[in-house]
Amino acid sequence: MSNSSGKYPAFPEISPDEIESVLMPEVSQWGLTNGLAMYPPNFNISQGQLAPTTLYPTPFPRQSFEQAISVQTLYNELYAKISQDQDGWLSKRIGELAEFDPEFTGKLWNLYLDAKKRGISQPLALGLFRSDYLLDAETYLAKQVEFNTVSVSFGGLSTKVGQLHRFLNETGKYSLDTGAPFYQQEIPVSDSTALLSNGIAEAVKKFKTAETHTLVAFLVQKGERNVFDQRALEYELFQKHKIKSVRLTIHEIGIKTTIDAATKRLYYKATGEEISLVYFRAGYSPQDFTCAQDWENRLVLETSYAIKAPNLLTQLAGVKKIQQILTEDAILKQFIPNDNDREKLATSFVKLYPLDDSELGKQAKKMALASPGRFVLKPQREGGGNNIYKSEIPVFLKSIDERDWSGYILMELIKPEPTTQNIVIRGNENLREPILSELGIFGWVLFDDKQLYFNEYAGWLLRSKSSTSDEGGVAAGFGCVDSVVLY
Amino acid sequence: MSNSSGKYPAFPEISPDEIESVLMPEVSQWGLTNGLAMYPPNFNISQGQLAPTTLYPTPFPRQSFEQAISVQTLYNELYAKISQDQDGWLSKRIGELAEFDPEFTGKLWNLYLDAKKRGISQPLALGLFRSDYLLDAETYLAKQVEFNTVSVSFGGLSTKVGQLHRFLNETGKYSLDTGAPFYQQEIPVSDSTALLSNGIAEAVKKFKTAETHTLVAFLVQKGERNVFDQRALEYELFQKHKIKSVRLTIHEIGIKTTIDAATKRLYYKATGEEISLVYFRAGYSPQDFTCAQDWENRLVLETSYAIKAPNLLTQLAGVKKIQQILTEDAILKQFIPNDNDREKLATSFVKLYPLDDSELGKQAKKMALASPGRFVLKPQREGGGNNIYKSEIPVFLKSIDERDWSGYILMELIKPEPTTQNIVIRGNENLREPILSELGIFGWVLFDDKQLYFNEYAGWLLRSKSSTSDEGGVAAGFGCVDSVVLY
């Protein structure tokens, strides 16, 4: 705890009976009044459920919190620059990687090549990013787990869970015997709803058109349960920026939009309104593409004049292999020449290794087989569930052709301390279970081939998962939204 | 339409398919994001449902809307003054009426007498009122149906349904072929959430105490489904005024609060915080009192130093018989001496008759039997479901002892024009059915025996019900929340 500026905050001591009779109604009704909600499985559209959430904010060292925030604009810059694909650096890497994940990375890459052939008409791109960290229990450093470049979620709900925890604290609901605030420490509220919306709004403002107004298309999954998180951004966009949105699936792009063959401008057919920006909350997994037409639709979007958030190259920049390569200082230096900046970034890196025939790769192969307990093996594709942990690594590697090893990266495990006293609320149930919390920092960057126009921090997210599995609560879905009390 | 300042607005023409596929998700998700919600029957606390609502705002003549608003502070003044019980005017009336409704009016009256004996320590009273009107189709005058002095509801949801309709209009969801706003006319948003909260806050400010802060007790029904309407006020109270609330049933008053025998100050036991104001969202029906202790609890509250919103006399002032008596100009003059003011009030009256042995009563008895089609017969008790309509009146009157007739009032039926083109949304279902809309105007007044300290308008509510029954959608509960487009 040497790097922490204060004492680890105690948790409220509230009996299970009081949690059930007093706090559960407080949390549920605050959540359902304020849209801290999610559709339950097999939902009908008129009924929403409290989003899975923690009862209390999770203690987080202020210094580590600020450390993670402080590097966000550097990460924005880094990923914007590699997305610019100067000297074809990113193209070359992705081209090599595509073969290891032909079903998705490969297809997206081919889409990009096709789009280039047809002509990419819009030079502007918007990156709405989230860099995810675990807190290393020894050093108290926020260590990067992954960098998300597409469909970053929970910016809407994060604002709300912070407001909930702050409300419960300020109204004395954490101190049922005194009614006074329990925490004297700060419970910050993430501005992610407002700041991510600002990013979209600035991109729309920079979009060139003769129209008096344009639409933002939220590209969404059919049957999305996390719709209230998305709606929070949509309503903020309209309330604050007077920008209207329309929700479309990738499939509907082919039916409900039309592209002008000459100008490549994209229009919403029903009203004839131009779409200035396509905000992807889908398209990050092969399941989002149900037929050949869906892939074609994605290609049409890429060639359209609408700004993509993100475009294909930016989305592809988020693969794990790129994350690994960027931890190599010689490469990082090409994009971030300033030594201090690189040092700041490196503080958030864990050791990442290739499993190829390079010197580093050869070393890594040995380590993976000899001391797998320190590592996790990750495939290219984003999202949990595909990772291989510890002793399973040698077994897995031996089961595949060694030529395919280089499709994986070997990552040193981050060792966070589980939080044992928080309580996870799912629907009507609440459970005290050890949780691990991942801190996500949002950022946005508006850029084209030549320059970055905006580069901004955009709030944060704490997501907590049961610590009983390595993957962390996969069975239970995404875990739950949480907030922080800083110390 | 002679008194209307503009043309009756057309309704959007949207196909049933588009309502189902486009507008239903828009309405549900806006509602569930913003707390336009209600618990469904047999609910569990973590799941809320879109509150029953109309798809479109209902056209309402601006002049009639403003007429209803313009008399609200006069009604506030009138009911505050009769509640002051100067010269025992109200006591005398209620004492006479009590025998006709011994189960409730009688019991409340006895509670009041007991409280007087024990001593009523708090002279301040807060009236949070709602005056309900139907629009007379011939004259375009808003005619008063009833004046509610206790537990007036939907102040929270009314703000939200107006925001919903305005959002749908401004974002072009009512004009799916152009995306432009459909209505050029104003869709006002009721400030009732903020203004009713202001009333509570001003009362709390005027409450004398040595404490640094106090609590507001929301007196609520067990299993309340309309909880999000109440929570909207609670959260506004805290957010804007930093006033904390606690929710208690009448039964819990005996368990979770304690009264200081000497000072009569009321305290929330768990924390020792003083309760400055009891806001009744229960206690308006005998079902809210489940045992003798509950009646005792109500009595304790009446003698406590906490401000009641409302106190028993103010609650009792809301019985139908008082509404009838106050339409007699000679009586009205005692409270509202200004001729112009009385004239303004009278514009909102329909003919109300006693069924007693007075001259007017004798006339009314004849009319009730000879031309019942013009009337509705109402018992003392508030709330729908007990009224007797038209041809059923003679049958009913003949079935009871004539001495009991004077427990009823005879009210000329108001003849509103049904709205035929709006659509009512209940859960996942939407139905185009003729509706009748009742306009409620909120007001609040803070007073004691001697004077009125505040007298304020507090927003409005449009509530629409199926017009297929005289009672208007009783089977379907309260109807649905609606808003207005003014013309």
Side-chain angles (χ1 to χ4, degrees):
Chain A
M1 232 169 276
S2 55
N3 282 332
S4 158
S5 60
K7 216 170 130 263
Y8 187 86
F11 276 83
E13 288 184 15
I14 302 182
S15 72
D17 274 2
E18 284 177 320
I19 287 172
E20 188 67 31
S21 64
V22 181
L23 283 164
M24 290 295 284
E26 287 293 329
V27 170
S28 285
Q29 290 166 16
W30 192 98
L32 294 169
T33 302
N34 293 287
L36 179 58
M38 201 172 275
Y39 276 131
N42 309 313
F43 63 91
N44 71 58
I45 57 159
S46 68
Q47 291 197 29
Q49 186 171 37
L50 175 72
T53 182
T54 56
L55 177 56
Y56 309 116
T58 289
F60 205 95
R62 178 183 290 274
Q63 194 171 317
S64 319
F65 187 74
E66 289 172 354
Q67 172 225 333
I69 289 173
S70 72
V71 289
Q72 186 58 34
T73 51
L74 286 175
Y75 272 117
N76 291 345
E77 181 184 342
L78 173 60
Y79 277 84
K81 283 186 175 171
I82 62 174
S83 299
Q84 287 175 329
D85 199 27
Q86 283 168 14
D87 308 323
W89 185 89
L90 181 63
S91 290
K92 185 154 184 297
R93 297 295 166 289
I94 300 291
E96 290 163 7
L97 296 172
E99 65 171 301
F100 297 109
D101 178 25
E103 287 310 304
F104 196 60
T105 307
K107 280 191 171 176
L108 291 181
W109 172 242
N110 287 333
L111 277 193
Y112 169 70
L113 294 178
D114 287 350
K116 256 184 94 168
K117 262 182 239 153
R118 294 193 194 179
I120 291 176
S121 56
Q122 177 56 264
L124 279 175
L126 177 64
L128 298 167
F129 298 146
R130 200 187 67 219
S131 184
D132 289 340
Y133 304 90
L134 284 170
L135 183 65
D136 179 67
E138 255 178 50
T139 61
Y140 274 65
L141 290 172
K143 291 289 188 180
Q144 189 180 54
V145 178
E146 63 182 0
F147 191 83
N148 304 286
T149 60
V150 63
S151 190
V152 303
S153 54
F154 296 114
L157 297 190
S158 181
T159 300
K160 295 183 181 192
V161 67
Q163 290 169 334
L164 165 66
H165 287 157
R166 187 183 277 189
F167 174 81
L168 293 173
N169 187 51
E170 290 184 352
T171 56
K173 295 297 190 283
Y174 290 149
S175 313
L176 297 178
D177 53 346
T178 67
F182 179 84
Y183 296 103
Q184 299 308 316
Q185 300 96 330
E186 186 190 2
I187 299 174
V189 170
S190 165
D191 284 333
S192 38
T193 306
L195 297 178
L196 290 169
S197 302
N198 284 351
I200 295 173
E202 290 295 348
V204 170
K205 272 192 223 164
K206 208 165 169 58
F207 179 81
K208 288 186 185 140
T209 181
E211 305 289 335
T212 56
H213 74 277
T214 58
L215 298 181
V216 168
F218 279 52
L219 206 81
V220 297
Q221 293 177 329
K222 199 175 164 184
E224 173 69 74
R225 288 174 50 207
N226 193 24
V227 62
F228 306 108
D229 178 53
Q230 302 170 351
R231 289 286 193 180
L233 295 187
E234 175 186 335
Y235 300 149
E236 172 81 8
L237 264 181
F238 185 70
Q239 199 169 9
K240 192 152 130 208
H241 305 285
K242 291 292 158 202
I243 295 171
K244 294 195 295 177
S245 304
V246 60
R247 294 170 62 83
L248 296 167
T249 63
I250 291 182
H251 195 68
E252 287 172 329
I253 287 292
I255 301 161
K256 299 192 172 178
T257 71
T258 182
I259 191 164
D260 182 286
T263 64
K264 301 294 176 189
R265 287 182 183 271
L266 188 68
Y267 296 93
Y268 184 53
K269 269 190 195 170
T271 61
E273 289 163 295
E274 185 173 6
I275 293 169
S276 53
L277 187 143
V278 182
Y279 169 41
F280 285 82
R281 291 295 293 258
Y284 55 86
S285 131
Q287 285 82 45
D288 292 346
F289 300 84
T290 56
C291 59
Q293 182 62 49
D294 291 353
W295 291 101
E296 171 65 18
N297 293 347
R298 180 66 189 85
L299 175 55
V300 165
L301 290 180
E302 197 66 10
T303 61
S304 83
Y305 190 68
I307 298 170
K308 270 70 66 183
N311 63 23
L312 283 169
L313 271 188
T314 305
Q315 177 171 350
L316 285 164
V319 298
K320 295 286 178 298
K321 181 69 186 173
I322 298 294
Q323 183 190 0
Q324 178 261 307
I325 296 174
L326 292 173
T327 62
E328 298 178 23
D329 193 63
I331 291 172
L332 187 60
K333 199 169 185 170
Q334 297 175 34
F335 302 100
I336 307 288
N338 180 293
D339 291 347
N340 283 337
D341 288 346
R342 276 206 316 290
E343 205 175 306
K344 281 178 77 177
L345 284 173
T347 305
S348 69
F349 295 161
V350 285
K351 291 241 158 40
L352 289 164
Y353 303 94
L355 286 176
D356 56 19
D357 293 331
S358 66
E359 269 316 299
L360 196 62
K362 283 177 193 163
Q363 274 181 40
K365 286 180 184 180
K366 279 182 202 157
M367 291 191 296
L369 298 172
S371 50
R374 291 163 47 203
F375 298 106
V376 52
L377 186 72
K378 294 189 169 186
Q380 291 314 316
R381 197 88 57 76
E382 288 214 356
N386 303 314
N387 296 339
I388 294 129
Y389 288 86
K390 302 180 184 176
S391 59
E392 288 168 16
I393 296 174
V395 183
F396 175 80
L397 287 177
K398 285 169 193 163
S399 75
I400 62 171
D401 194 316
E402 191 169 338
R403 277 173 307 185
D404 292 333
W405 290 16
S406 51
Y408 293 80
I409 63 163
L410 190 70
M411 182 174 180
E412 205 178 35
L413 279 170
I414 306 165
K415 295 199 192 70
E417 191 71 41
T419 302
T420 55
Q421 290 174 277
N422 210 333
I423 285 169
V424 175
I425 299 174
R426 292 180 187 282
N428 291 355
E429 307 297 323
N430 70 83
L431 185 64
R432 172 161 287 166
E433 57 180 351
I435 53 171
L436 293 177
S437 300
E438 216 171 271
L439 178 69
I441 307 294
F442 295 103
W444 64 273
V445 54
L446 183 65
F447 62 99
D448 63 16
D449 303 343
K450 294 176 196 64
Q451 57 181 310
L452 277 57
Y453 298 98
F454 287 90
N455 176 6
E456 302 286 339
Y457 155 78
W460 53 272
L461 161 74
L462 198 74
R463 219 160 50 147
S464 293
K465 304 173 181 180
S466 163
S467 74
T468 51
S469 84
D470 282 314
E471 192 77 48
V474 168
F478 75 99
C480 67
V481 291
D482 194 349
S483 82
V484 300
V485 50
L486 297 176
Y487 69 99
Chain B
M1 234 170 275
S2 55
N3 282 332
S4 158
S5 60
K7 215 169 131 263
Y8 186 87
F11 275 83
E13 288 184 15
I14 302 182
S15 72
D17 273 2
E18 284 177 319
I19 287 171
E20 188 67 30
S21 65
V22 181
L23 282 164
M24 290 295 284
E26 287 293 329
V27 170
S28 285
Q29 290 166 15
W30 192 98
L32 293 169
T33 302
N34 293 286
L36 179 59
M38 202 172 274
Y39 276 131
N42 309 312
F43 63 91
N44 71 58
I45 57 159
S46 68
Q47 290 197 30
Q49 186 170 37
L50 175 72
T53 182
T54 56
L55 177 56
Y56 310 116
T58 289
F60 205 95
R62 178 183 290 275
Q63 194 170 317
S64 319
F65 187 73
E66 289 172 354
Q67 172 226 332
I69 289 173
S70 72
V71 289
Q72 185 58 34
T73 51
L74 286 175
Y75 273 117
N76 290 345
E77 181 184 342
L78 174 60
Y79 277 84
K81 283 186 174 170
I82 63 174
S83 299
Q84 287 175 328
D85 200 27
Q86 282 169 15
D87 308 323
W89 185 88
L90 181 63
S91 289
K92 185 153 185 298
R93 297 295 165 290
I94 300 292
E96 290 163 8
L97 296 172
E99 64 171 300
F100 297 109
D101 178 25
E103 287 309 304
F104 196 60
T105 307
K107 280 192 171 175
L108 291 181
W109 172 241
N110 287 334
L111 277 192
Y112 169 70
L113 294 178
D114 287 350
K116 256 184 93 168
K117 262 182 239 153
R118 295 194 192 178
I120 291 176
S121 56
Q122 178 56 264
L124 279 175
L126 177 64
L128 298 167
F129 298 146
R130 200 187 68 218
S131 184
D132 289 340
Y133 303 90
L134 284 169
L135 183 65
D136 179 66
E138 256 178 49
T139 61
Y140 274 64
L141 290 171
K143 291 290 189 180
Q144 189 179 54
V145 177
E146 63 182 1
F147 191 83
N148 303 285
T149 60
V150 62
S151 190
V152 303
S153 54
F154 296 114
L157 297 191
S158 180
T159 300
K160 296 183 181 192
V161 67
Q163 290 169 335
L164 166 66
H165 287 158
R166 187 183 276 190
F167 174 80
L168 293 173
N169 187 51
E170 290 183 352
T171 56
K173 296 297 190 281
Y174 290 149
S175 313
L176 297 178
D177 54 345
T178 67
F182 179 85
Y183 296 103
Q184 299 308 316
Q185 300 96 330
E186 186 190 2
I187 299 173
V189 170
S190 165
D191 284 332
S192 38
T193 306
L195 297 177
L196 290 169
S197 301
N198 284 351
I200 295 172
E202 290 296 348
V204 170
K205 273 192 225 165
K206 209 167 168 59
F207 179 81
K208 289 186 185 140
T209 181
E211 306 289 336
T212 55
H213 74 277
T214 58
L215 297 181
V216 168
F218 279 52
L219 206 81
V220 297
Q221 293 177 328
K222 199 176 164 183
E224 173 68 75
R225 288 174 50 207
N226 193 24
V227 62
F228 306 107
D229 178 53
Q230 301 169 351
R231 289 287 193 180
L233 295 187
E234 175 186 335
Y235 300 149
E236 172 81 9
L237 263 181
F238 185 70
Q239 199 169 9
K240 193 152 129 207
H241 305 285
K242 291 292 158 203
I243 294 171
K244 295 196 294 177
S245 304
V246 60
R247 294 170 62 84
L248 296 167
T249 62
I250 291 182
H251 195 69
E252 288 172 328
I253 287 292
I255 301 161
K256 299 192 173 179
T257 71
T258 181
I259 191 164
D260 182 286
T263 64
K264 300 294 176 189
R265 287 182 184 270
L266 188 68
Y267 296 93
Y268 184 53
K269 269 190 195 169
T271 61
E273 289 164 295
E274 184 173 6
I275 293 169
S276 52
L277 187 143
V278 182
Y279 169 41
F280 285 82
R281 291 295 293 259
Y284 55 85
S285 131
Q287 285 81 45
D288 292 346
F289 299 84
T290 56
C291 59
Q293 183 62 49
D294 292 352
W295 291 101
E296 171 65 19
N297 293 347
R298 180 66 189 87
L299 175 55
V300 164
L301 290 179
E302 197 66 11
T303 62
S304 83
Y305 190 68
I307 298 170
K308 270 70 66 185
N311 63 23
L312 283 169
L313 271 188
T314 305
Q315 177 171 350
L316 285 164
V319 297
K320 296 287 178 298
K321 181 69 185 173
I322 298 294
Q323 183 190 1
Q324 178 261 307
I325 296 173
L326 291 173
T327 62
E328 297 178 24
D329 192 64
I331 290 171
L332 188 60
K333 199 169 185 170
Q334 298 175 35
F335 302 100
I336 306 288
N338 180 293
D339 291 347
N340 283 336
D341 288 346
R342 277 207 315 291
E343 204 175 305
K344 281 177 77 176
L345 283 172
T347 305
S348 69
F349 295 161
V350 284
K351 291 241 158 40
L352 289 163
Y353 302 94
L355 285 176
D356 57 18
D357 293 331
S358 66
E359 268 317 299
L360 196 61
K362 283 177 194 163
Q363 274 181 41
K365 286 180 183 180
K366 279 183 203 158
M367 290 191 296
L369 298 172
S371 50
R374 291 163 46 204
F375 298 106
V376 52
L377 186 73
K378 294 189 169 186
Q380 290 314 316
R381 196 88 57 78
E382 288 214 356
N386 303 315
N387 297 339
I388 294 129
Y389 289 86
K390 301 180 185 176
S391 59
E392 289 168 15
I393 297 174
V395 183
F396 175 80
L397 286 177
K398 284 169 193 162
S399 75
I400 62 171
D401 194 316
E402 191 169 339
R403 278 174 306 184
D404 292 334
W405 291 16
S406 50
Y408 293 80
I409 62 163
L410 190 70
M411 182 174 180
E412 204 177 35
L413 279 170
I414 306 164
K415 295 200 191 70
E417 191 71 41
T419 302
T420 55
Q421 290 174 275
N422 210 334
I423 285 169
V424 174
I425 299 174
R426 291 181 188 283
N428 291 355
E429 307 296 323
N430 70 83
L431 184 64
R432 172 161 287 167
E433 57 179 350
I435 53 171
L436 293 178
S437 299
E438 217 170 271
L439 178 69
I441 307 294
F442 295 103
W444 64 273
V445 54
L446 183 65
F447 62 99
D448 63 16
D449 303 343
K450 294 175 195 66
Q451 57 182 310
L452 277 57
Y453 298 98
F454 287 90
N455 176 7
E456 302 286 340
Y457 156 78
W460 53 272
L461 162 74
L462 199 74
R463 218 160 52 148
S464 293
K465 304 172 181 181
S466 163
S467 74
T468 51
S469 84
D470 282 314
E471 192 77 47
V474 168
F478 75 99
C480 66
V481 290
D482 194 349
S483 82
V484 301
V485 50
L486 296 175
Y487 69 99

